[in-house]
Amino acid sequence: MGWWWLGLALILPWMAMTLWLRLLWPEPTPGRWPMVLGYGYLLGMTAIAGILWLQGALGWPLGSRILLLVSGLLVVSALLLLGQRKNLGLVMVRESGQPTLWRRLAFSLILLWVIARFVDLALEVWWQPLFPWDAWTTWGARAKVWSELQTLTPFVSPEAWLADRTGTLHTIDAWNYPATLSLIAAWPSLALGTWNETAANIPWLGVALALGLGFYGQARIWGASSLTAMVFVWMLLSIPLLNTQVALAGYADLWLATALGLAMMAFLQWLRSGDPRQAFLTILSILVCIAMKREGLVWVLLFIPSLMAAKLSKFVLSILAGLLMTLGIILWVKGGIAFELPGLGAIRLLPNVIQLPFIDEFKLGYHATWEPVLRHYFLYSNWHLFTYLLVFSLGAAVVAILLNSPRGWQKGGLVWALGSLAAIYFLFFWTDAYLWAMKGTSINRILLHFVPALLFWMMTVWLEFVRFIESRARVA
C-alpha cells in the first residue's frame, strides 16, 4: 500500500482519539492539548489493537482499510463538533504573569534539547532492525506472523504445538502473554502491505512522544509553570534506560511505563480536583496497563490502597489494617489457602509459594540481593540522579504529612509511591525473581514501569514544597 498508508495508520487513530478527548475539555486550560495528544496516542493505538484482536477472534482477515476509514470519519466528526463551538482552542493559553526573558530562554533551550533527542532516537528507530531479545521471542515474532498471514494465527504452548498435526499453530516461550503490543507492532506493516521492521519499530517512538506530551500537559493542568513542567519532562526523557527502550524498540516495558504513568497522573488529578474526566482517563489507562503486560495486572492493584488512604478516615483505615493483619496471621497458621477458579486457573497463597492466574508462580523465601539492587539503582548510569531524588522526595513527603494536615491526594500519592517500592522489594528480595536482580536482567526494566508515575508524584511534592516556602516567606 505504500508509506502514505503507513503515515495515515499512525496519525488517524491518534488524531481521532485526541480530538474526541479534546471535546471533554472545552475550557481554555493550560496543557490541555499536550495532555489529550499524549493520552490520545496511547488510547488510539490500544483501540486499534483491540479492534484487530476482535477481527481475528471473529475469523476475519486482519486489514487496515476499514479501520483507517472509520478513524478518518471519527476525525471529521470530532472536527465538526469542535467547529460548532466556534473555538478549536488552537491558540496557546498564556500563563498568569509575564515570564521573564531567562525563563523563556531556558524553556526554549530545554525544548530544543528534547526535540534534538527525539530526532536522534528517530534515526535509531529508522536504522535499527528488530533487535531486542523480547522482540525476537514474543512481541515482534507474533507481529510478523500475524502481519504476513493477515490472520490471528493462534500461539499455543509448546506441548500443544508438538501435538498439533495441522501445521497451523505457532508457539513461543511467552505464548500466553497479552496480544495487544504485538498487534500494535503489526498494525503499521498491515497498513504498509508487507512486513517491515522499521515500520514495526515506529510506534515505540510515538509512545515516548506521547509520554512526554501527557506528562507536560498534566503538569500544566496541575499548576506547574511552563518552565517547571518542561524541566520535569526533560528529567523524564533524559533517563538513559528509557531512551534505550526507544532506540532498541521491541520491549513492552516502555508501553507499560507510559500507561501506568499516565494512569497515576490522572489519578492524582482526580484525587485533588474531583474532576470526573480525570477519573475517566485513569480507568482507561488502567485498562491499557492490564492489556499490555501481565505485570500490569499486578501494578494497577497499587491504586486500591492509594484510593483508600485518600478517601477513608484514619479510624476506618486502622480497622481495615487490623482485619487484614488478622486474616494474614490466620492464613499463615492454617498453612495458606489454595483453590481453583473455573476458567481462570489455580490460586495458591501458601507460606512458600504464590500462584496467581495470568501472572506466574513464585517461590517465597528471603534473598539478600542488596548489593546488585544498590549497584544498579544508585551506582550505574541507568537512572542519572532519579533514585537519589526519589529518596529525597519520600523524606520530604513524609515530613510534610507529619507537619501539616495532609490532603487526600498527598496521602494517596505517598501510599502509591511507597507501595511501588514495596512491590519491587518483595519481588527481588522475597521471591525467586531475585535471580532477575542477581543476573541484571529485569532489575532495571521493572523499575522503569514506575518511573514516569513516580517522577510526576515527585513534581507534586516539589511544587507543594515551593508553595510552603513562599507562604512562610509572605508571613515573615
Side-chain angles (χ1 to χ4, degrees):
M1 295 184 188
W3 289 91
W4 285 106
W5 287 103
L6 171 62
L8 290 175
L10 295 172
I11 293 174
L12 285 180
W14 182 9
M15 290 300 100
M17 189 64 71
T18 294
L19 292 172
W20 278 95
L21 288 177
R22 168 62 180 78
L23 288 168
L24 298 177
W25 270 269
E27 68 277 7
T29 305
R32 60 176 174 171
W33 271 113
M35 181 193 67
V36 296
L37 281 166
Y39 284 84
Y41 181 86
L42 180 70
L43 297 176
M45 295 305 292
T46 306
I48 286 294
I51 297 173
L52 288 174
W53 179 86
L54 183 61
Q55 286 181 342
L58 293 174
W60 300 348
L62 302 181
S64 61
R65 291 294 181 91
I66 295 178
L67 291 182
L68 290 176
L69 176 62
V70 172
S71 298
L73 292 175
L74 289 173
V75 168
V76 171
S77 59
L79 286 173
L80 290 175
L81 290 173
L82 287 171
Q84 289 178 358
R85 298 177 179 179
K86 299 180 181 180
N87 179 19
L88 293 179
L90 297 177
V91 179
M92 183 179 297
V93 181
R94 295 188 177 275
E95 297 182 52
S96 57
Q98 191 71 10
T100 59
L101 178 61
W102 79 266
R103 285 180 173 271
R104 291 180 178 178
L105 180 61
F107 178 90
S108 300
L109 290 175
I110 296 173
L111 179 60
L112 285 174
W113 184 96
V114 171
I115 292 173
R117 189 60 180 141
F118 264 101
V119 172
D120 184 35
L121 291 172
L123 293 175
E124 288 289 338
V125 168
W126 189 264
W127 291 329
Q128 185 76 259
L130 207 60
F131 184 78
W133 179 250
D134 279 26
W136 292 2
T137 60
T138 307
W139 315 109
R142 293 188 300 184
K144 184 174 183 179
V145 170
W146 290 339
S147 64
E148 288 192 338
L149 298 181
Q150 295 189 356
T151 183
L152 206 63
T153 304
F155 279 77
V156 298
S157 66
E159 294 78 14
W161 177 74
L162 287 172
D164 173 53
R165 297 182 179 275
T166 66
T168 59
L169 302 181
H170 292 75
T171 188
I172 51 177
D173 286 341
W175 61 273
N176 57 348
Y177 274 38
T180 306
L181 194 56
S182 293
L183 289 169
I184 290 175
W187 168 244
S189 290
L190 287 171
L192 191 61
T194 183
W195 172 253
N196 185 284
E197 294 189 1
T198 296
N201 287 341
I202 291 176
W204 269 256
L205 183 67
V207 79
L209 177 61
L211 176 58
L213 288 169
F215 192 107
Y216 180 84
Q218 288 286 28
R220 296 287 283 122
I221 291 174
W222 189 271
S225 67
S226 57
L227 178 58
T228 300
M230 183 56 67
V231 167
F232 275 90
V233 168
W234 168 77
M235 292 170 64
L236 175 64
L237 297 181
S238 66
I239 291 176
L241 191 70
L242 189 147
N243 284 198
T244 302
Q245 289 259 329
V246 181
L248 299 179
Y251 287 106
D253 306 287
L254 178 61
W255 288 84
L256 180 54
T258 300
L260 191 62
L262 294 181
M264 174 59 168
M265 297 171 203
F267 177 69
L268 284 178
Q269 296 276 19
W270 173 69
L271 288 181
R272 189 176 73 150
S273 66
D275 190 340
R277 299 169 297 184
Q278 295 286 359
F280 178 64
L281 290 179
T282 303
I283 294 171
L284 291 180
S285 301
I286 284 175
L287 292 177
V288 174
C289 290
I290 297 172
M292 282 297 169
K293 205 174 181 185
R294 292 191 302 181
E295 289 92 327
L297 183 60
V298 180
W299 303 153
V300 298
L301 297 178
L302 293 172
F303 290 97
I304 297 176
S306 301
L307 180 61
M308 295 170 63
K311 296 296 184 179
L312 300 180
S313 65
K314 291 182 180 179
F315 177 73
V316 175
L317 287 174
S318 299
I319 293 177
L320 288 176
L323 290 175
L324 287 174
M325 187 176 298
T326 303
L327 178 61
I329 293 173
I330 292 174
L331 290 177
W332 181 273
V333 172
K334 289 177 63 65
I337 185 174
F339 56 92
E340 189 89 14
L341 287 178
L344 295 179
I347 293 180
R348 292 195 296 161
L349 303 175
L350 307 177
N352 62 339
V353 67
I354 290 180
Q355 180 181 355
L356 298 173
F358 306 116
I359 300 175
D360 211 338
E361 176 181 305
F362 294 99
K363 296 178 181 178
L364 301 181
Y366 179 73
H367 305 277
T369 53
W370 289 105
E371 191 275 333
V373 168
L374 294 176
R375 175 160 41 87
H376 280 272
Y377 291 165
F378 290 93
L379 294 181
Y380 287 171
S381 58
N382 293 313
W383 304 106
H384 285 331
L385 298 177
F386 172 81
T387 47
Y388 294 94
L389 293 174
L390 177 59
V391 172
F392 174 80
S393 299
L394 288 169
V398 171
V399 170
I401 287 179
L402 292 177
L403 294 181
N404 302 290
S405 178
R407 283 159 284 182
W409 65 266
Q410 290 177 298
K411 294 184 290 185
L414 179 59
V415 168
W416 201 98
L418 292 173
S420 65
L421 297 180
I424 293 175
Y425 171 75
F426 179 75
L427 184 67
F428 290 144
F429 285 82
W430 287 93
T431 75
D432 50 358
Y434 81 97
L435 291 172
W436 302 350
M438 299 297 293
K439 297 179 180 179
T441 53
S442 297
I443 182 172
N444 290 298
R445 290 162 54 192
I446 292 294
L447 178 59
L448 180 64
H449 298 168
F450 303 102
V451 164
L454 289 173
L455 188 59
F456 187 85
W457 170 77
M458 290 159 63
M459 184 203 71
T460 67
V461 173
W462 164 254
L463 292 177
E464 198 64 22
F465 175 74
V466 171
R467 292 190 186 99
F468 174 75
I469 295 299
E470 291 176 346
S471 64
R472 292 297 296 268
R474 285 193 296 269
V475 170

